[in-house]
Amino acid sequence: MKNIIKTILQYLGGVILSLAIALLLRLFAVDFYSIPSDSMSPAIEPGDFILVDKLSFGARMYEDFDFLKNGTEPKTWRVKGFSPIRHGDVLVFNFPYAKDWNKIRMHLSRFYVKRCIGLPGDTLCIRGAFEKENRRWF
């Protein structure tokens, strides 16, 4: 009987340890996102899932989770990333909106997935038009 209980406790400990490791990886290292729109077509289609590396650019951490209860603005800080954002990188960020003209806030449950086309100091110029039917620039 002791061997059966010991075996069950070992398996239970393994499952709990696996869940704890998965939670820590999800909080600090990687996350999964579903593509909400066709703005990244044809490279990434709506409904596709992507795996996001949070360590590259730095994960955002919350000081507390009181904002989930009362809907206030969360206090956040960002972990230092291992690499800078470069042209062509695919970025996932919260949907920005402005309640007033003094501050831009983020919608925590909505995400944008976009490709980086410009960095600080770059000058962008839009030439021609976007042909929606063929999804190409000309």
Side-chain angles (χ1 to χ4, degrees), residues 3 13-14 19 28 44:
N3 287 339
L19 290 174
F28 296 106
I44 304 173

Side-chain angles (χ1 to χ4, degrees), residues 91-110:
L91 306 172
V92 178
F93 55 94
N94 292 100
F95 179 75
Y97 70 96
K99 276 192 172 177
D100 53 35
W101 291 103
N102 298 328
K103 187 174 183 182
I104 295 177
R105 294 186 168 95
M106 59 185 167
H107 197 291
L108 295 177
S109 62
R110 294 187 62 194

Side-chain angles (χ1 to χ4, degrees), residues 65-73:
F65 291 98
D66 287 341
F67 65 92
L68 293 175
K69 295 178 202 166
N70 56 19
T72 62
E73 187 76 19

